[in-house]
Amino acid sequence: MNKRELVEAIADRVGDRKTATEAVNAVVDAIQKAVAGGDKVSITGFGAFEMVNKPARTARNPSTGAEINVAESWAPKFRAGSDFKELVNEGGKKIGKRK
């Protein structure tokens, strides 16, 4: 499912596409701004978004074996909540049976 399909799914519940688009955009924007600002966003039953630090490190170029210095960086992280994990697990069991 992409963003357009998500908007369509929400439009079926809220009544129109414009309202659904604004709602999706508002939620995504609020989460991105909060996490980029260092806040943790927790949605009970769904999961938590947070910013994590990736410290500077030395890596190797797999082609040449040369050492490469990788700079420190920050990245978003998502941890699924227990309800979400359970739902995905049940869905996986159903899909696995079809194979």
Side-chain angles (χ1 to χ4, degrees), residues 72-95:
E72 173 187 45
S73 63
W74 294 86
K77 178 180 176 182
F78 174 74
R79 282 192 336 248
S82 59
D83 293 348
F84 189 17
K85 287 180 186 178
E86 186 177 317
L87 186 62
V88 170
N89 187 39
E90 290 302 315
K93 288 178 184 177
K94 291 176 187 174
I95 291 171

Side-chain angles (χ1 to χ4, degrees), residues 16 20 26 43 45 53-54 63-64 68 72-73 83 85 88 98:
D16 68 289
I43 303 171
N53 179 264
K54 294 185 174 191
S63 300
T64 64
I68 301 169
E72 173 187 45
S73 63
D83 293 348
K85 287 180 186 178
V88 170
R98 284 191 248 159

Side-chain angles (χ1 to χ4, degrees), residues 21-60:
T21 301
E22 290 174 7
V24 169
N25 288 338
V27 168
V28 170
D29 187 54
I31 291 170
Q32 288 176 339
K33 285 182 179 176
V35 172
D39 292 333
K40 180 178 177 180
V41 178
S42 296
I43 303 171
T44 304
F46 180 68
F49 299 88
E50 61 187 317
M51 181 173 28
V52 294
N53 179 264
K54 294 185 174 191
R57 61 187 170 83
T58 302
R60 290 205 178 269

